[in-house]
Amino acid sequence: MITAKGQCVQKGIAIGKILIYRKPKPRILSEKITDTEEQLRAYRDAKEEAIRELSYMSEMTEDKISKEQAMIFSAHMMLLQEPDFDHAVTEEIVQRHHNASYAVYRAGEDLASFFATVKDNPYINERAADFRDVTDRVIRKIQHIDDEIRLPSDPVILLSDDFSAQEVAGLNPSQVLALVSAKGSVNSHASILARSLGITALVDTGIAVSEKYNDRTGVADAIDGRFLIDPEEELLQEMHEKQKIFLDSRKELEQLIGTKTETKSGKRVSLFANISSVLEAKMAQRSDAEGIGLFRSEYLFLNRQSDPSEEEQFRIYKAVVETMNPKPVVIRTLDLGADKQDQSRTGKEENPALGVRGIRLSLDHPGMFQTQLRAIFRASAFGNVGIMFPMIVSKEEVETIRTMIDDVKEELVKEQIPFTDPKIGVMIETPAAALISDELAGLVDFFSIGTNDLTQYTLAMDRQNAALPVRQNVHHEAILRLIELTVQNAHKNKIPVAICGELAADSALTSYFLKIGVDELSVPVSAILSLRKWIRSQD
Ligand code: PEP
Ligand code: MG
């Protein structure tokens, strides 16, 4: 038996025959050519074919998965259409007399190594892999190499060194039991696609991929992160049982789709989802979330060189709002800083968690803040939108925000751009906000308690520091009192109150939250149905 440890991309247990997939490798030899015109034609034809193929992949992915995921392929198309790339390949052929395959390879490598060496920008660094993917595609076309993964009719565990996003997008999920790769990372585009397609997947197993494993029995345990080849009978039996338990519990939870989130005695609470992308909104919808309680918009701003434009933000907010319509979607304005570092704006801070983060950063950059507000207001015309603000500590901040909102509304009216009036809320995630929640309640339409930060600031324990026992203290009396005070003050002022920190999904506190009258729990998508199950089991 062979055992390899890996990282789980998509939870599940797959048992079945292994099929080794090896990427067809094009031959890259530098040859001096004389037929420049012919090589140029071979390159241009191959590039056109690659672009057509990518455009097809993009349409197919948009149909099968989402617009957002389809963008991976449009981005690849754009890389191929880069004038710099075209210029470099042409120069390799015309000036250096290299054959088309080698010319594409050289030009691709030069650009990829440029991307790979840009300092302190992991997003750009990852684009090097994209560049290699697209140039490989063109070279395969030049050499007429067929790169489609052909699967047998009986589903298999596909084992490879690594999978590209294109390869995963082209798979029919019903023919694949699991994807297992020797390399790869949980957040690569290929992994994101595997998750969206619901294919059980393990990456980074380090396994030496060899044809000798073809047709042998494999077990991809993407619950405990291991891959087994030819397990002994007893272990195989154990895995079958584990698989059955997993599938049964998933089926049982799926039965809860369409049911109410209420206790046996009929006490109700709204069960919302926390998301950070359009794809997650789709998953939330599939898991029957009653709305989005927290859309962490800062993920749109991270890992990129420039801020997303109003148009780009608008398109994403609109997509989320339309996905959930008519259910409510609460978009939280930018919460950069602290653990979501953004040194380009804040500079290096001694104590970033106590520094320019959340609303402080937005108020310091009014242009950026207004752009975001405009994008959210424009999206409000397409469904049920709420806006909330992170890291509030004072009434003055809320008053300033209100004035800025009025300005944005006035502008939109002047420009005849439609919007509705979104509900305005604040996060209660600092002890200060909880303690003045009686005053804040008069200024807003709802509260949402962020227990992650409320815990770190109340206990003076960094939520990032693994050495601190924050986890053991999450039920600390001080936090529960601040939550209770916030709920009381909200209700005195007749506004609803949600909890959107991790504590919302902590079933040990659910009964307590229901008892004190919390109106909404907003939890990670994966926790929705299991929390509903728990609530329905309570008296
Ligand atoms: C929180 O602090 O509880 C919260 C929901 O916000 P974030 O985790 O994004 O800081
Ligand atoms: Mg927070």
Side-chain angles (χ1 to χ4, degrees), residues 7 21 96 133 155 209 213 279 291 293 318 338-339 355 376 421 433:
Q7 296 191 55
Y21 169 66
R96 299 201 183 87
D133 261 10
V209 175
Y213 299 137
L279 181 64
K318 175 172 171 272
D339 52 323
I376 300 174
D421 238 342

Side-chain angles (χ1 to χ4, degrees), residues 298-325:
E298 54 277 9
Y299 286 96
L300 271 55
F301 289 70
L302 285 169
N303 293 333
R304 49 187 296 159
Q305 282 182 320
S306 58
D307 290 341
S309 64
E310 178 183 319
E311 201 51 37
E312 187 179 346
Q313 291 187 58
F314 163 66
R315 269 190 280 112
I316 292 171
Y317 302 147
K318 175 172 171 272
V320 170
V321 170
E322 286 181 332
T323 302
M324 298 307 293
N325 198 23

Side-chain angles (χ1 to χ4, degrees), residues 294 296 332 335 340 357 429 450-453 463 500-501:
L294 166 63
R296 290 181 161 103
R332 176 175 76 181
D335 183 27
K340 288 166 278 196
R357 70 165 288 201
E429 54 182 346
T451 52
N452 307 335
D453 280 313
R463 66 194 258 190
C500 66

